[in-house]
Amino acid sequence: MDVTPDDILARAQAPAQNGRPVRKDEIELHDRGLYIESWLPERRSRRKPLLFIHGLLGGSWLWERYLGFFAGRGWEGHALNLRNHFWSDPADPAELSFDTYLEDVVAAATHFGPNVVLIGHGMGGLLALKAAERVDVSGLILLSPEPPRDLRPEARSHELREIPEVFGRAAIGWETLPEKLQREHADLTLTDVLRIQHLLGQKPREAGAARRQVIQGISVDRSRLEGIPRLVIGAGLDRYVEEETTERLADWLEADYEPFGAHSHFGLVFAEHGHQQVAEAIRGFLELHRL
């Protein structure tokens, strides 16, 4: 039977299926309008809770395959939606910034207590680093994280001027033909690409101020991270955070480092056929440190 573009889009928009049956729950931090999607193992264990933090234009949808993978192996996973992202309350993105997102992460990490392990992707990795300066955490896992100020080149004025107050998927190159995106992100299937495109949203809704702050440089105090097990993961096909930059960050943090040369930025987490390799590396790190 022929597969039509409508069939592909329908499959792309369907929830990802992964892992053994788990209990799903939700947590709402009403004072901040935040929604946290939780996938829990059938039976409670002594493993540390995992708090997943997305980056620009993301949401808890980014982590569905990881949530299923880890819940099926005894970890409770909680995927935060930053303010004005996915299921969290809407807000004017022109009034949001890296600082307001950081307050969201700190609130979520505080909710779960000092046993929590922070896992961040892209800007979410930088948010995890900053949150770990302020609240006690048991571990840090950073996937293609945006680098802090000490590892960034000096921001150019034209770069900052080009960032609008509010932007959408076009600004990160995802407003184009799915087939072109698949060629650029070789580890993603066409279904992966269509689903990511759909969930990034069609309307501009991301805070330009947050992106400008990241490019200008966010300072990180490494001394506040002493004693916290740290893992940094890089992607060889990453078009947003180069793998060389990610490796430099691992050295700077004195963190364990795992490179995945055949993975893209989103593929580290979302690729149907590649995410499990990365999840297994994270699992090994968690088990090594008894997290």
Side-chain angles (χ1 to χ4, degrees):
M1 183 175 64
D2 292 337
V3 178
T4 69
D6 287 342
D7 294 330
I8 295 173
L9 183 58
R11 280 197 311 229
Q13 295 178 2
Q17 298 297 319
N18 189 34
R20 297 279 299 174
V22 296
R23 295 184 294 116
K24 296 182 184 180
D25 203 351
E26 59 186 39
I27 298 168
E28 294 185 70
L29 303 183
H30 295 286
D31 59 329
R32 299 195 66 80
L34 301 179
Y35 180 96
I36 300 172
E37 181 179 355
S38 300
W39 291 40
L40 312 172
E42 291 183 292
R43 296 182 180 180
R44 294 187 65 86
S45 73
R46 295 183 179 180
R47 298 186 186 277
K48 309 294 187 186
L50 310 178
L51 177 61
F52 296 95
I53 306 161
H54 66 80
L56 294 171
L57 292 168
S60 60
W61 57 266
L62 181 73
W63 301 105
E64 282 184 346
R65 291 190 166 112
Y66 274 32
L67 291 168
F69 177 92
F70 286 104
R73 291 160 177 80
W75 281 273
E76 58 179 75
H78 308 277
L80 171 67
N81 291 283
L82 297 171
R83 217 174 320 178
N84 199 48
H85 288 74
F86 206 40
W87 290 333
S88 285
D89 286 356
D92 182 354
E95 297 180 358
L96 302 177
S97 66
F98 185 91
D99 298 319
T100 54
Y101 292 156
L102 178 58
E103 294 301 326
D104 293 343
V105 177
V106 167
T110 301
H111 175 85
F112 293 108
N115 285 332
V116 72
V117 176
L118 302 184
I119 302 178
H121 177 257
M123 184 184 71
L126 188 53
L127 286 167
L129 280 172
K130 290 299 293 180
E133 291 181 355
R134 294 176 48 183
V135 297
D136 292 334
V137 302
S138 289
L140 279 169
I141 299 170
L142 314 175
L143 296 96
S144 281
E146 288 284 357
R149 177 179 296 163
D150 285 3
L151 300 180
R152 295 195 76 93
E154 184 175 352
R156 298 177 180 177
S157 57
H158 73 86
E159 288 182 281
L160 302 175
R161 287 196 304 269
E162 289 171 358
I163 300 172
E165 288 302 310
V166 180
F167 66 88
R169 67 188 188 188
I172 62 170
W174 277 77
E175 190 66 73
T176 188
L177 292 173
E179 293 78 9
K180 180 176 183 293
L181 288 167
Q182 189 184 17
R183 290 194 297 271
E184 294 173 348
H185 305 80
D187 57 334
L188 299 177
T189 65
L190 185 57
T191 300
D192 291 335
V193 167
L194 286 167
R195 182 161 169 77
I196 293 170
Q197 241 186 346
H198 171 69
L199 290 168
L200 287 173
Q202 297 181 7
K203 297 180 179 179
R205 57 181 179 81
E206 183 57 82
R211 183 62 184 153
R212 281 192 293 274
Q213 284 178 273
V214 169
I215 291 176
Q216 287 174 312
I218 301 293
S219 63
V220 170
D221 183 356
R222 287 177 291 180
S223 68
R224 302 294 297 272
L225 308 177
E226 290 182 8
I228 302 173
R230 302 180 287 278
L231 171 65
V232 177
I233 293 174
L237 303 181
D238 200 322
R239 300 170 62 86
Y240 308 106
V241 183
E242 293 184 355
E243 199 245 320
E244 180 183 355
T245 300
T246 309
E247 186 173 9
R248 286 176 57 219
L249 174 61
D251 290 340
W252 188 77
L253 289 173
E254 297 182 349
D256 294 346
Y257 181 63
E258 288 277 359
F260 288 87
H263 285 62
S264 64
H265 186 75
F266 287 108
L268 284 175
V269 180
F270 204 87
E272 178 182 359
H273 302 304
H275 76 279
Q276 189 159 337
Q277 296 172 284
V278 188
E280 287 286 5
I282 294 173
R283 178 188 181 185
F285 174 82
L286 293 171
E287 291 181 339
L288 176 65
H289 293 281
R290 299 182 179 181
L291 298 173

